Amino acid sequence: MDKRTTHAEQHNAAAAAEAAVESGRLVQVILAGGSGTRLWPVSREQYPKQLIDVVGDQSLLQATMKRMDGFAKTWDVAAQPVIVCGAEHFYVTSEQASDCGVKPCVVVEPARRDTAPALTLAALTASSDGDDPILVAMPADHAIADVPALHLAIDVAARHAQAGEIATLGVPPTRADTGFGYIRLGAQLQDGAHRIDRFVEKPAAELAAQYVASGGYWWNSGMFVVRASVWLAALKIFQPDMYAACVQAYENAKRDDGYIAPGADAFAQSPSDSIDYAVMEHLGKPESPFTGVVVPLEAGWSDLGSWDAVWEAMEKDEFGNVANGRVLMEGATTTYARSQGGRLVACVGTSDIVVVETDDAVLVADRSHVQDVKGLVSRIRQTNSPEADIHRKVRRPWGFYDSIDNGERFQVKRIVVNPGGRLSLQMHHHRAEHWIVVCGTALVTRGEEQFLLTENQSTYIPIGVQHRLENPGHVPLQIIEVQSGAYLGEDDIVRFDDKYGRCN
Amino acid sequence: MDKRTTHAEQHNAAAAAEAAVESGRLVQVILAGGSGTRLWPVSREQYPKQLIDVVGDQSLLQATMKRMDGFAKTWDVAAQPVIVCGAEHFYVTSEQASDCGVKPCVVVEPARRDTAPALTLAALTASSDGDDPILVAMPADHAIADVPALHLAIDVAARHAQAGEIATLGVPPTRADTGFGYIRLGAQLQDGAHRIDRFVEKPAAELAAQYVASGGYWWNSGMFVVRASVWLAALKIFQPDMYAACVQAYENAKRDDGYIAPGADAFAQSPSDSIDYAVMEHLGKPESPFTGVVVPLEAGWSDLGSWDAVWEAMEKDEFGNVANGRVLMEGATTTYARSQGGRLVACVGTSDIVVVETDDAVLVADRSHVQDVKGLVSRIRQTNSPEADIHRKVRRPWGFYDSIDNGERFQVKRIVVNPGGRLSLQMHHHRAEHWIVVCGTALVTRGEEQFLLTENQSTYIPIGVQHRLENPGHVPLQIIEVQSGAYLGEDDIVRFDDKYGRCN
C-alpha cells in the first residue's frame, strides 16, 4: 500500500464517492494550457493551436466551448464552463468566448504545471459554492467530428462518475498509431465500458500493432469525467504535495468577474504532472481506494497532434488533397496545404507532403516526418529566431499589431484597436512615430493635447512625448504607424498608465 | 532546291563568306528576350529569370555580360556587347549593366518574335559601322560553370565562323534529358568539331536514351558563333520575309546613346521563329549554300530550364540539399529550397522536393514534376491572379515600389527612388497620399510648392493635387506611402510630365 495513503484518507474518499451520487450537475472543464509546437508555424507558444481555426471556421477552443451544446436534458449542464489557461492567453480566450456567446469562468495558471494541477484548480473552482458537480474535462485542442456520439459517451461516463468512479473516454483504435498513449482494458461492464487495467505510454510501432491486433487496448483521448470531490480526494491520496499546493494557491487567488488568478507563490510549489501519471495510473493498483472505468468514444476523435493528423481529420478531394486558403494543386496527391498568411501556395506533383504558409515562415514536411516538427522548433529557438515562438501579428488586450515592413532605421506597423480599446499612456526614448488613420476614429493623447483623428488624418509623436491611442468608436480602428529612430525594440516603452494593468 | 534560293543569292553568300576571313573582331550578342515562366514564382513575365540571381551573386544577365571577360587576346573582342531585350526590361537591363561596369548597346524589341529576328537585329547593329564582326550569340539566362572551357569552345567556333561557317556549341550529353533539343553529328573535323547533320526536337525519354547511348548526338546549347554578313545572307535566303521585316525595322529605328528601338510597324510584320528552325535546320540540306559545324562545349553548361536544373547546377550539401536564403533543413535530402521573400523556410524530411518562397507566392513541387510549372502559371493567369506575371515588388525606371499592406480603403507602399530618380508629375482622382521619409532626402512638388523632406519628416498630398517625388541626393530615398481612398488602382494616375517618356 502506498505509504502516503492512510486509512482515514481512504475513508474520506469513500465518503466523498458516496456523496457524489446526490448531484446530477455537470460542469465542463476545458484544459487550454497547451503550447502545441507540433503544428508550427501556425501554432506557437505565443498563440497556440487551441486559439486557431485548425479545422473548420472557429478556433479549436471555440469548438470545444460549444461541445456540450444540446447535451441530453437528463443532466443539468452548467452554463458556465471552467477554462484553465495560461496568463498570456487570458484576453484572447475571453475574446473568443465572447465571440461565440459563452461566458466562462477562466482560471489563469500562474505557471505551467501540466494537466493534473489544472484539473485540480478547476475542481476547486467548480465546487466553491458548496456544490459537488461532475467535471467533464477535455483538452481545448482536439477535434471531434460526431458530437452526438460524444454526448452518448459522456452520458455513460457521467453515470459512472455519479457512482464515484473516475471515468475516462477511450478511443477504439483504427490504426497502429505510435503518437498516442493506450489504455489496457480490464473487465467489460454492461454498458460497454471497461474497468481500467492500466495506462501505457506511447508504444513503438511493433508494439502498437500488437495492441491494435489484440483488441484489448484503446487510445487514451485525454478526456475525463469525474466528480469534483472524488478527484480532489484521489489527488490528496496520490499526490499530497500537489493537492496542498493547489489548495493553497486557490485560497490565495485574486478573483474578478469570470476570472480567477490562483496565488503564484503557492502554485509554483506544485509538482508538474499529467492527469494520467498523477492519478489514473494508480487506479488499477490493489491498494487504490478509487477505481476507474474507460468508456468507448467512437466519434471521429483526433488530437490534431501533427499536421498529418490534421490532414487525416479533414475532408479531402478525389486525390486525397486538403487545400486551406489560397492554394492551387497541379497533379498533387495526398497533399495538405494551408495558406495562412494569404500568399498563393502552389503544389505541383507533390505526394504525401504538408505545406503550411504563414506571414513569416513556411513549413514543408514529408507526411511521414511531421513528428520532427517539434525538434525543428527547438532548433529555431536555439538560434534566437522569433519565428519559433512569436507570430508577426501580435495580439494585445486592446487588439493587435502586425509588423508589415522594416528597414535599417524604420519599422511600419498596422495597428488595430478594438472598439473601446485603449493602449497604455506611454513614451519612447529612441523613436518618433507617425500615425495615419486608415479606418475608424482615433482618440489621441499627445503631451497635454487630446484630439480626434478620422480616416485619412494623421499625426506625429516626437521622441520623448507622452502619448496614448484609443478607439472611442463602434468599429475597429486601424492605423498605419511608421516608427523612425536608431533603436526600434519593443522594450523601448515607458508605460505611465494602463487599463490592463501592464505598468508594473 | 529551295525555290527561294536563287543562283545570285548563292553567289552573294559565298562572297560574304569569303570576305569574312578578313576580320578577327568578335561581338558578344546577348539574347535577353525570354520570359522564363518555368522558374515561377521567382521568374515572371514582368521580371524574368535572366534579371535574377538564380545561381550565384549576380543576375544571369550580368553573369552573361561578364562571360567574355579574359577571352584570349588573339581575338579582338568588342567592349560593347549587343543586348536584345523587350522594351519593358530596358531600364533594368541598363541598370544591371551599369552595376557591373558594362556599357552595352541595347536593342529593344518592339514585340516578341523569338530568337532569329533578335539575332538579325543584333547582326545589323554590329555591322552598322561597315565592319563585319563575328557574332558570339548566347542566351542571357543560362549558367556556365567553367568559363575558360567556354572560351576554348568559342575560339574553335570563331575560327569556323571566320571561314564562313555557321557554328553552334553542342554539349556532349551526360544523361537522357528530354528537356533539350539534340544535334545529330555529321563528319568529325580535326579540331574536335563536327559537321551538323541535323537538329532534332526535344525527344521522348526512350529516344533520348538511344541518342545518348549512340554517342552521335549532342545537346543544343542555343549558343551560336557566326559572321554578321553570313547570318544575314543565310536569313535572306531561308527566311526572306523575316529578313525584309528586320531590315526595314532596323532602318526605321530610333537611336540614342547605347539604345536602339527598331520600328514597331515593320518588326510586327516579321514571322516569329527561332534560330534553330529559321536557319540551322536548313544547313544540312544538299541545296544549302551554307554549312554548319557544331563545336563541343564541356563547361558545366545548364539552361536552368526548370527548378530541377537549378538544383543540378548548384553546389549541394552532404545530403544533396541546396539552401538559398533563410532555409532550415531537418532530415531533408535532395531538396532545393529558396527563400526569396525573406521568410524562414523549413523543410522537414523532404526528398526530391523543390520549395520556392517569394513575397506573394510559394511553390512546392516534386522534382520529377517541375516541367508542369509552366502549365501551372497558365492556370494562374487564367484566374486573373497577378501572381502569374507580376511581382509584389514593381521596378520602375526611377527605382521600385513594394506593396507592403492593403485593406478595404487603404494601401501601404514602400517606395525607393534611386539617386537622381524622378517620378512623373502626376495627380490622382480617387486617392490621397501620406508620405513619410524613412531614409534619404526627398524633393517634393505639391501644387505650386516645392520643398525638401528628410528622414522622419512627412507630407500629405490631397486628392486632385499635382505632385512629384524626386531624389536629389546621393543615397537611395525611401518613403512609406499610405494611400487612402475609395479606389486605389494603379490606373488612377494622370501624368503631366515624365523624365522617362511615360506621358503618352
Side-chain angles (χ1 to χ4, degrees):
Chain A
M1 193 173 196
D2 189 309
K3 270 189 267 180
R4 293 173 298 185
T5 313
T6 65
H7 179 76
E9 278 167 342
Q10 265 193 306
H11 176 81
N12 289 349
E18 198 159 318
V21 187
E22 289 159 24
S23 166
R25 187 150 173 270
L26 302 191
V27 172
Q28 186 191 19
V29 174
I30 300 177
L31 303 168
S35 66
T37 54
R38 287 181 296 173
L39 295 193
W40 185 89
V42 163
S43 173
R44 305 187 193 181
E45 183 92 16
Q46 179 216 54
Y47 206 75
K49 103 190 210 230
Q50 60 268 21
L51 303 175
I52 295 164
D53 55 338
V54 176
V55 294
D57 296 335
Q58 46 193 357
S59 78
L60 296 175
L61 173 65
Q62 288 177 316
T64 308
M65 289 193 271
K66 307 300 280 181
R67 203 158 273 155
M68 293 300 282
D69 285 8
F71 192 74
K73 283 181 185 159
T74 51
W75 298 94
D76 169 24
V77 179
Q80 191 175 43
V82 177
I83 302 178
V84 189
C85 70
E88 66 277 29
H89 302 132
F90 168 71
Y91 285 104
V92 63
T93 296
S94 304
E95 206 173 88
Q96 291 198 353
S98 160
D99 279 355
C100 61
V102 175
K103 289 193 176 174
C105 174
V106 181
V107 180
V108 169
E109 289 176 295
R112 282 219 176 114
R113 287 294 182 272
D114 215 330
T115 50
L119 181 56
T120 306
L121 293 175
L124 292 166
T125 302
S127 54
S128 62
D129 57 358
D131 195 11
D132 184 17
I134 292 168
L135 309 177
V136 180
M138 47 184 77
D141 57 355
H142 290 182
I144 290 172
D146 184 353
V147 171
L150 170 70
H151 288 179
L152 288 177
I154 291 175
D155 182 64
V156 172
R159 286 168 205 274
H160 288 287
Q162 202 170 29
E165 300 276 357
I166 302 182
T168 182
L169 305 188
V171 180
T174 50
R175 61 182 183 276
D177 203 298
T178 58
F180 303 135
Y182 285 70
I183 300 170
R184 192 162 85 175
L185 306 180
Q188 186 167 13
L189 308 176
Q190 279 193 326
D191 56 9
H194 283 256
R195 293 251 145 247
I196 293 171
D197 184 64
R198 64 184 177 91
F199 278 67
V200 288
E201 286 191 69
K202 295 174 183 176
E206 206 179 331
L207 202 55
Q210 285 176 22
Y211 287 172
V212 174
S214 76
Y217 291 80
W218 289 347
W219 292 335
N220 177 6
S221 75
M223 281 183 271
F224 301 93
V225 181
V226 60
R227 191 169 284 280
S229 60
V230 172
W231 172 259
L232 293 172
L235 193 80
K236 194 173 175 184
I237 290 174
F238 298 125
Q239 308 293 341
D241 295 347
M242 187 184 287
Y243 176 82
C246 290
V247 168
Q248 189 61 52
Y250 187 77
E251 281 174 7
N252 299 351
K254 285 183 190 165
R255 288 173 176 78
D256 202 343
D257 184 32
Y259 171 84
I260 297 177
D265 292 345
F267 196 70
Q269 301 303 315
S270 172
S272 178
D273 212 348
S274 69
I275 295 171
D276 293 358
Y277 286 123
V279 171
M280 300 308 284
E281 293 206 338
H282 299 276
L283 297 185
K285 296 176 182 166
E287 71 276 14
S288 167
F290 297 96
T291 52
V293 298
V294 53
V295 174
L297 173 67
E298 294 182 283
W301 167 87
S302 170
D303 75 339
L304 304 176
S306 69
W307 285 115
D308 185 44
V310 173
W311 174 81
E312 287 278 1
M314 291 188 78
E315 207 172 314
K316 297 157 197 68
D317 71 10
E318 58 187 312
F319 305 107
N321 298 321
V322 175
N324 205 314
R326 285 197 72 202
V327 171
L328 268 181
M329 300 281 185
E330 178 87 19
T333 56
T334 54
T335 292
Y336 173 89
R338 180 181 179 108
S339 169
Q340 178 89 10
R343 263 167 292 277
L344 180 64
V345 172
C347 300
V348 177
T350 51
S351 198
D352 290 326
I353 288 286
V354 163
V355 182
V356 182
E357 179 270 355
T358 67
D359 283 328
D360 57 356
V362 178
L363 169 73
V364 181
D366 192 276
R367 271 186 43 224
S368 64
H369 286 68
V370 288
Q371 295 297 344
D372 301 339
V373 169
K374 196 171 177 163
L376 171 82
V377 175
S378 302
R379 250 183 83 198
I380 299 172
R381 197 172 285 141
Q382 280 161 20
T383 64
N384 290 320
S385 297
E387 294 88 351
D389 299 315
I390 300 171
H391 282 278
R392 207 187 75 169
K393 185 170 164 179
V394 176
R395 271 81 172 183
R396 291 286 187 240
W398 42 259
F400 69 86
Y401 67 80
D402 188 3
S403 299
I404 57 177
D405 197 16
N406 62 78
E408 210 175 325
R409 290 168 54 88
F410 73 94
Q411 183 168 201
V412 187
K413 289 180 176 178
R414 179 152 58 103
I415 297 176
V416 177
V417 185
N418 297 329
R422 190 182 194 199
L423 280 69
S424 63
L425 181 66
Q426 56 188 240
M427 185 267 278
H428 312 291
H429 288 297
H430 303 290
R431 66 177 189 250
E433 294 176 347
H434 300 256
W435 292 350
I436 296 125
V437 175
V438 293
C439 183
T441 300
L443 177 58
V444 175
T445 305
R446 188 180 66 172
E448 299 301 308
E449 305 168 87
Q450 207 173 47
F451 50 90
L452 290 170
L453 291 181
T454 60
E455 190 179 306
N456 197 25
Q457 295 187 318
S458 67
T459 190
Y460 172 66
I461 315 287
I463 288 178
V465 171
Q466 277 194 22
H467 56 279
R468 163 172 256 163
L469 178 66
E470 13 191 336
N471 180 357
H474 294 284
V475 297
L477 161 68
Q478 294 196 52
I479 75 162
I480 301 298
E481 174 181 275
V482 181
Q483 303 178 352
S484 181
Y487 177 77
L488 302 168
E490 273 305 304
D491 55 350
D492 176 21
I493 185 166
V494 182
R495 288 199 174 97
F496 302 100
D497 172 51
D498 186 38
K499 180 176 172 181
Y500 313 101
R502 296 174 303 164
C503 285
N504 310 318
Chain B
M1 193 172 196
D2 189 307
K3 271 189 266 180
R4 293 173 297 186
T5 312
T6 64
H7 180 76
E9 278 167 341
Q10 266 194 305
H11 177 80
N12 288 348
E18 198 159 318
V21 186
E22 289 161 25
S23 164
R25 187 149 173 273
L26 302 190
V27 172
Q28 185 191 18
V29 174
I30 300 176
L31 304 168
S35 65
T37 55
R38 286 182 297 172
L39 294 194
W40 184 89
V42 163
S43 174
R44 305 188 192 181
E45 183 93 16
Q46 179 216 51
Y47 205 74
K49 104 189 208 233
Q50 60 270 21
L51 303 175
I52 295 163
D53 55 340
V54 176
V55 294
D57 296 334
Q58 48 192 357
S59 78
L60 296 174
L61 173 64
Q62 287 176 315
T64 309
M65 289 193 270
K66 305 300 281 182
R67 202 158 273 156
M68 293 300 281
D69 284 7
F71 193 75
K73 285 181 184 162
T74 51
W75 298 94
D76 168 24
V77 179
Q80 191 175 42
V82 177
I83 302 178
V84 189
C85 70
E88 67 276 30
H89 302 133
F90 168 70
Y91 286 103
V92 63
T93 296
S94 304
E95 207 173 85
Q96 291 198 354
S98 161
D99 279 353
C100 60
V102 175
K103 289 192 176 176
C105 175
V106 181
V107 180
V108 170
E109 290 176 295
R112 283 223 175 108
R113 287 294 183 271
D114 214 331
T115 50
L119 181 57
T120 307
L121 292 176
L124 293 165
T125 302
S127 54
S128 61
D129 57 358
D131 195 11
D132 184 17
I134 293 168
L135 309 178
V136 180
M138 48 184 78
D141 57 355
H142 290 182
I144 290 171
D146 184 353
V147 171
L150 169 70
H151 288 179
L152 287 177
I154 292 175
D155 181 65
V156 172
R159 287 169 203 275
H160 288 286
Q162 202 170 29
E165 300 275 359
I166 302 182
T168 181
L169 305 188
V171 179
T174 50
R175 59 181 185 277
D177 203 300
T178 58
F180 304 135
Y182 285 69
I183 300 169
R184 192 161 86 174
L185 306 181
Q188 186 166 13
L189 309 176
Q190 280 191 324
D191 56 10
H194 283 256
R195 291 251 145 251
I196 293 171
D197 184 65
R198 63 183 176 93
F199 277 69
V200 289
E201 286 193 68
K202 295 175 185 176
E206 206 180 331
L207 202 55
Q210 285 175 24
Y211 288 173
V212 174
S214 76
Y217 291 80
W218 289 347
W219 292 335
N220 177 7
S221 75
M223 282 183 272
F224 301 93
V225 182
V226 60
R227 190 169 283 281
S229 59
V230 173
W231 172 259
L232 293 171
L235 193 81
K236 194 173 176 183
I237 291 173
F238 299 125
Q239 308 292 342
D241 295 346
M242 188 183 289
Y243 176 82
C246 290
V247 167
Q248 188 61 52
Y250 187 77
E251 281 174 8
N252 299 350
K254 285 182 191 165
R255 287 173 178 77
D256 202 342
D257 185 32
Y259 170 86
I260 296 176
D265 292 346
F267 196 70
Q269 302 302 315
S270 171
S272 177
D273 214 348
S274 69
I275 295 171
D276 293 358
Y277 286 122
V279 171
M280 301 307 286
E281 293 206 337
H282 300 275
L283 296 186
K285 296 176 181 165
E287 71 275 15
S288 168
F290 296 96
T291 52
V293 297
V294 52
V295 174
L297 173 67
E298 294 182 283
W301 168 87
S302 170
D303 75 339
L304 303 177
S306 69
W307 285 115
D308 185 46
V310 173
W311 174 81
E312 286 278 1
M314 291 189 76
E315 208 173 313
K316 295 156 198 70
D317 72 9
E318 57 186 313
F319 305 107
N321 298 320
V322 174
N324 204 314
R326 285 197 73 201
V327 172
L328 267 181
M329 300 280 186
E330 177 88 17
T333 55
T334 53
T335 292
Y336 174 88
R338 180 182 178 107
S339 169
Q340 178 90 9
R343 260 166 292 278
L344 179 65
V345 172
C347 299
V348 177
T350 51
S351 198
D352 289 327
I353 288 286
V354 163
V355 182
V356 183
E357 179 270 354
T358 66
D359 284 329
D360 57 356
V362 178
L363 169 72
V364 181
D366 192 275
R367 272 186 41 224
S368 64
H369 286 69
V370 289
Q371 296 296 346
D372 301 339
V373 170
K374 196 171 177 162
L376 171 83
V377 175
S378 303
R379 250 184 82 196
I380 300 173
R381 197 171 284 140
Q382 279 160 21
T383 64
N384 290 320
S385 298
E387 293 88 352
D389 298 316
I390 300 171
H391 281 278
R392 208 186 75 168
K393 186 170 164 179
V394 176
R395 271 82 172 182
R396 291 284 185 242
W398 42 260
F400 70 87
Y401 68 81
D402 188 3
S403 300
I404 56 177
D405 197 18
N406 62 77
E408 210 175 324
R409 289 168 55 87
F410 72 94
Q411 184 169 201
V412 187
K413 288 180 176 178
R414 179 150 59 102
I415 299 176
V416 176
V417 185
N418 298 329
R422 192 181 193 198
L423 280 71
S424 62
L425 182 66
Q426 57 188 242
M427 186 268 278
H428 312 291
H429 287 298
H430 302 290
R431 67 179 188 248
E433 294 176 346
H434 300 256
W435 292 350
I436 297 125
V437 175
V438 293
C439 183
T441 300
L443 176 59
V444 175
T445 305
R446 188 178 67 172
E448 300 300 309
E449 306 168 86
Q450 208 174 45
F451 50 90
L452 290 171
L453 290 182
T454 59
E455 189 179 305
N456 197 26
Q457 294 187 319
S458 66
T459 190
Y460 173 66
I461 314 288
I463 289 177
V465 171
Q466 277 195 21
H467 57 278
R468 164 172 256 164
L469 178 66
E470 10 190 339
N471 180 358
H474 294 284
V475 297
L477 161 68
Q478 294 196 51
I479 75 161
I480 302 298
E481 175 181 274
V482 180
Q483 302 178 352
S484 181
Y487 178 76
L488 302 168
E490 273 305 304
D491 54 351
D492 175 20
I493 186 166
V494 183
R495 288 198 175 98
F496 301 100
D497 173 51
D498 185 37
K499 178 176 173 181
Y500 313 101
R502 297 173 303 163
C503 286
N504 311 318

